[in-house]
Amino acid sequence: KPIIIDINSLGGSAIDGFCVYEILKRYDKSPIITFNSGCTMSAALLIFMAGDKRLGLNYCEFLFHGAKDHSDFYGADPKGLEIASKQLKVMNNEMAQLMADVTKKEKRYWSGKVKGDFTFKKKEALDLGVVTEE
């Protein structure tokens, strides 16, 4: 039986989004259907991308951007901030690669989008390959 995941979320931790994505892709052989029923933003987009079929309502919205502040994990001292900065670069690279692996756009395209908030609606999501079918 397929796993159906209805997503309507502003997102959260990119680390958590990657974890859920990987668990879905690695440990369950059931077909995965993800559905954007409103908004799928930030880390929620990573989870959405785990779908073998990715669907959305006509007026749904998506947001892709780079990982944000990691100083909570590494501390706000200079060494902690240096480590956090390196980890953010790694995570942004991984996000761009994940999107390139499962969409119609290359990594270079998605790497350019991690620098800000890239929002798009269903029609553009179809063109990009984020949504896989009408």
Side-chain angles (χ1 to χ4, degrees):
K1 290 184 176 183
I3 297 171
I4 300 171
I5 303 170
D6 183 345
I7 300 174
N8 187 8
S9 173
L10 299 175
S13 163
I15 292 171
D16 295 338
F18 273 117
C19 288
V20 173
Y21 174 90
E22 189 167 353
I23 288 167
L24 288 168
K25 295 308 277 184
R26 182 182 286 204
Y27 297 110
D28 198 308
K29 300 304 177 201
S30 299
I32 300 167
I33 301 168
T34 51
F35 183 75
N36 180 347
S37 61
C39 67
T40 296
M41 300 181 167
S42 192
L45 181 58
L46 298 175
I47 297 166
F48 181 82
M49 298 311 293
D52 300 306
K53 284 185 179 181
R54 298 183 302 271
L55 312 168
L57 293 175
N58 287 330
Y59 298 101
C60 67
E61 189 166 356
F62 297 87
L63 175 126
F64 177 77
H65 62 186
K68 302 297 183 192
D69 181 22
H70 267 36
S71 63
D72 289 351
F73 295 119
Y74 300 105
D77 62 4
K79 184 64 177 171
L81 291 173
E82 182 182 332
I83 294 168
S85 177
K86 287 179 185 176
Q87 288 304 107
L88 287 173
K89 288 176 186 173
V90 167
M91 191 171 296
N92 286 342
N93 184 55
E94 291 171 338
M95 282 192 281
Q97 186 63 59
L98 183 151
M99 295 299 288
D101 289 345
V102 295
T103 68
K104 299 174 184 173
K105 292 293 186 178
E106 296 178 1
K107 183 179 176 184
R108 182 181 53 211
Y109 175 86
W110 294 106
S111 293
K113 300 297 184 189
V114 299
K115 296 177 176 96
D117 288 343
F118 172 50
T119 59
F120 50 101
K121 300 295 247 175
K122 182 180 177 181
K123 182 185 180 323
E124 190 170 2
L126 279 163
D127 293 342
L128 293 169
V130 171
V131 169
T132 59
E133 56 189 81
E134 196 68 40

